[in-house]
Amino acid sequence: MKKLFYSMFAIAMALTTFTSCEDVPAPYNDPNNTKPEPEVDENLIFEESLTKNPGTFTVFTTKGIAWSFGGSYAKGTGYNNGTNTESESYLVSPDINLSDVDKAFLEFEYIFAYPTRKGEDKVLISDNFTGDPSTTQWTDITGTLTPWSNGDWNTWSKFIYVFGQEYLGKSNIRIALYYYGTPTDSRTWEVKNFKIRKGEPEEEPGPEIPTDLVGDGTQANPYNVASALKVIQAVGSAGTAEEVYVKGKLVKIEPGKDGFPNSFGNVSFYISDDGTESNQLYIYRCFGINGEQITDENYIKKGDDLVLVGKLVNFSNNTPEMTSGGKIFSINGQSGPEPTPLADPTGSGTQDDPYNVSAALGFINNLGSDVQSNEIYVKGTISRIKEVNTGDYGNATYWISDDGSQSNELQVYHGYYLKNEKFTDANAIKVGDEVIVCGKVVNFKGNTPEFVDKANYLYSINGDTGEPKVAGTHDAPLTIADAIAFGDAEHAWVKGTIVGVIDAAGEAHFDYDDAMSNIALPFLLADGTTETFTKELSKCLVVKTARGSEIRNNLHPSLQTFGMEVIIYGPLGSYSNLRGLLDPPYAEIIMPDGSKQTFGTLPEE
């Protein structure tokens, strides 16, 4: 009976509820609902969060590890669980329709981690996607990616690209986020909140620098330490864009690898306005006046009044400092001589037309902080050498400049020898050598222009590329004078007249005598005929031949070849302080009637 009562009650309530809602107009406006209607972004053309999945994007992976999802961002990296895998992957948008807009821009947030490692991270665009990103003709719109602040996984940078007229009015625009990691190294790129909007991007406000400062950061009016600390608080981990000048008293030099002595030629220390440990500014890895290396432990000492020049930053958001690469401008009011001005920039960075150091420094400065370039060639003079490692590493660290001075230098960091081989001789390079260096460059931490660690090598040293030197040709052989002046060559073609021999005492015999009949003696070549050549040993080329060789057995002047003209192929080198052809394998005698007789074998080149 109780069950029947409850059933009838439920039916009655249902009918009552239905009847009470029957006359309510639609849509029903709940007076108790105070939640505002969501705003519609009329300028939003396309949006994809790229968080838990690729959404409307498509992942194309040609090798290794693909773009991954599952958190609050998309991640591109070839690193996983302590292992690097050579990886190449594209994250490609669907077609973006810009057919009815006259202004539009792309924006997304990103973290660009481990930027000094090998690899590539790019933003690409195309209006002719083939369906396969590896065959699509892309345009690189990456520009400069802002690197993370050394382990800061919480601060996101913003990428902005304003579409050019070549893409507006089209409905088939594709954007690809591309990364590549090597088998030994990989960066990490995290991306989220991908949006395309109509109009123009709003200009990001820069940091608001305090006005109650002592000094203005110029050479003529440096900041004091208290003001420098205020500037750092304002700019944060992004740091100052330009170098500034700061004055203070040296409080203490940091011991250990960052203090003195160290192998980098710089020193880390603290300064304050009053020389005490209150309100200090950390000066990290600072070089001497005009950027010179510091090797004297008494170069600076506690209590010195210093003026420093460098960039300020709140490193990892917890260490206010003048970051590495700063320089001392003056010590107790004494500054060094004015640095050598930059040379006029020249070159295009190619093998045939390398940058000079001035041009390379400008190129690196335009890269942005910690952004690696493709391979370039730079010509300069070695100004100082830190080390040449001939052990397992086989690389060297040194600096080059346009004039060989320690002003306006470019660091070559852990570079390899000619032909990208390891150094085996500690004396293979020296200060003053003119070199061409090939490799990737980077503005390390935004203040140290350098060739990238283990991604560079010497293309040439004083003109020597390490490749076999070839002098002359069969049809255009060197004269004897040219062969003497040329220097060493692994292969040379030389033309001259057989004019005598040189005995064991180093005496030349130009007239036929007993020495001339000694077939074991090296013979001499000269320019001109036997009637016109100058009988001076210094103007002759020695031909040293091996016992039993065809050249010795057929060309020696004792064999009625005196005065004959010959063309000889072989290595150019030194013999008893003279220039000579050493054991040449091939020769031709030009007979009086113009015909030729050949001796020996011409090696295949």
Side-chain angles (χ1 to χ4, degrees), residues 132-378:
D132 179 354
S134 62
T135 62
T136 296
Q137 186 69 40
W138 297 102
T139 297
D140 187 345
I141 58 172
T142 313
T144 300
L145 295 177
T146 301
W148 69 344
S149 182
N150 298 292
D152 182 0
W153 292 101
N154 298 312
T155 302
W156 292 78
S157 299
K158 180 172 283 189
F159 179 92
I160 294 178
Y161 169 74
V162 177
F163 290 98
Q165 291 298 319
E166 65 270 31
Y167 300 114
L168 298 175
K170 296 182 178 180
S171 60
N172 58 339
I173 304 302
R174 295 271 187 148
I175 307 293
L177 304 178
Y178 167 87
Y179 83 87
Y180 170 77
T182 74
T184 59
D185 226 355
S186 183
R187 305 166 175 179
T188 297
W189 197 19
E190 297 179 352
V191 178
K192 66 179 182 179
N193 296 334
F194 185 102
K195 298 178 182 179
I196 295 177
R197 297 179 181 276
K198 297 178 184 178
E200 297 178 343
E202 294 183 5
E203 192 169 323
E204 294 286 336
E208 187 173 336
I209 303 299
T211 57
D212 58 335
L213 303 176
V214 175
D216 58 11
T218 63
Q219 178 182 319
N221 191 19
Y223 292 132
N224 66 2
V225 174
S227 296
L229 291 172
K230 289 180 180 179
V231 170
I232 291 171
Q233 185 177 13
V235 300
S237 61
T240 57
E242 305 293 336
E243 290 185 336
V244 299
Y245 288 78
V246 180
K247 64 181 179 180
K249 283 185 178 292
L250 197 154
V251 178
K252 61 181 178 181
I253 295 176
E254 187 168 81
K257 67 177 183 178
D258 291 330
F260 187 89
N262 68 35
S263 59
F264 300 102
N266 53 44
V267 62
S268 297
F269 52 92
Y270 294 84
I271 63 171
S272 68
D273 285 323
D274 58 6
T276 70
E277 294 190 11
S278 297
N279 300 315
Q280 300 177 106
L281 174 63
Y282 183 42
I283 311 299
Y284 180 57
R285 291 190 175 178
C286 181
F287 288 98
I289 292 174
N290 290 338
E292 67 184 1
Q293 286 190 307
I294 299 175
T295 57
D296 180 1
E297 62 182 356
N298 296 313
Y299 192 88
I300 51 175
K301 59 186 181 300
K302 182 177 179 179
D304 280 345
D305 288 312
L306 304 177
V307 176
L308 310 160
V309 56
K311 294 184 178 182
L312 303 177
V313 67
N314 192 9
F315 181 71
S316 292
N317 289 313
N318 58 28
T319 305
E321 67 177 47
M322 179 176 285
T323 192
S324 63
K327 301 180 286 291
I328 296 173
F329 175 73
S330 68
I331 305 172
N332 298 320
Q334 298 296 313
S335 58
E338 287 295 317
T340 304
L342 275 170
D344 291 334
T346 62
S348 57
T350 64
Q351 179 180 310
D352 295 331
D353 185 31
Y355 287 133
N356 67 355
V357 174
S358 175
L361 291 173
F363 173 81
I364 294 169
N365 186 57
N366 289 332
L367 287 174
S369 178
D370 289 321
V371 178
Q372 293 184 13
S373 72
N374 294 324
E375 280 192 347
I376 63 171
Y377 290 79
V378 182

Side-chain angles (χ1 to χ4, degrees), residues 40 103 119 193 306 334 341 361 363 374 431 469 509 513 564 571:
V40 177
K103 291 182 181 179
N193 296 334
L306 304 177
Q334 298 296 313
L361 291 173
F363 173 81
N374 294 324
V431 171
K469 277 189 176 180
H509 298 259
D513 57 16
M564 285 192 173

Side-chain angles (χ1 to χ4, degrees), residues 64 106 118 125 318:
L106 158 69
K118 298 175 183 176
I125 188 170
N318 58 28

Side-chain angles (χ1 to χ4, degrees), residues 75-144:
K75 181 166 74 173
T77 184
Y79 177 84
N80 186 38
N81 293 329
T83 301
N84 287 293
T85 302
E86 184 176 15
S87 302
E88 183 179 54
S89 187
Y90 297 79
L91 183 57
V92 182
S93 76
D95 281 337
I96 307 296
N97 187 356
L98 302 179
S99 61
D100 61 346
V101 294
D102 56 6
K103 291 182 181 179
F105 65 96
L106 158 69
E107 65 178 6
F108 60 80
E109 296 174 77
Y110 68 92
I111 293 175
F112 181 36
Y114 312 112
T116 59
R117 295 180 180 176
K118 298 175 183 176
E120 292 183 289
D121 300 87
K122 296 179 181 180
V123 185
L124 308 173
I125 188 170
S126 177
D127 59 0
N128 189 22
F129 183 60
T130 65
D132 179 354
S134 62
T135 62
T136 296
Q137 186 69 40
W138 297 102
T139 297
D140 187 345
I141 58 172
T142 313
T144 300

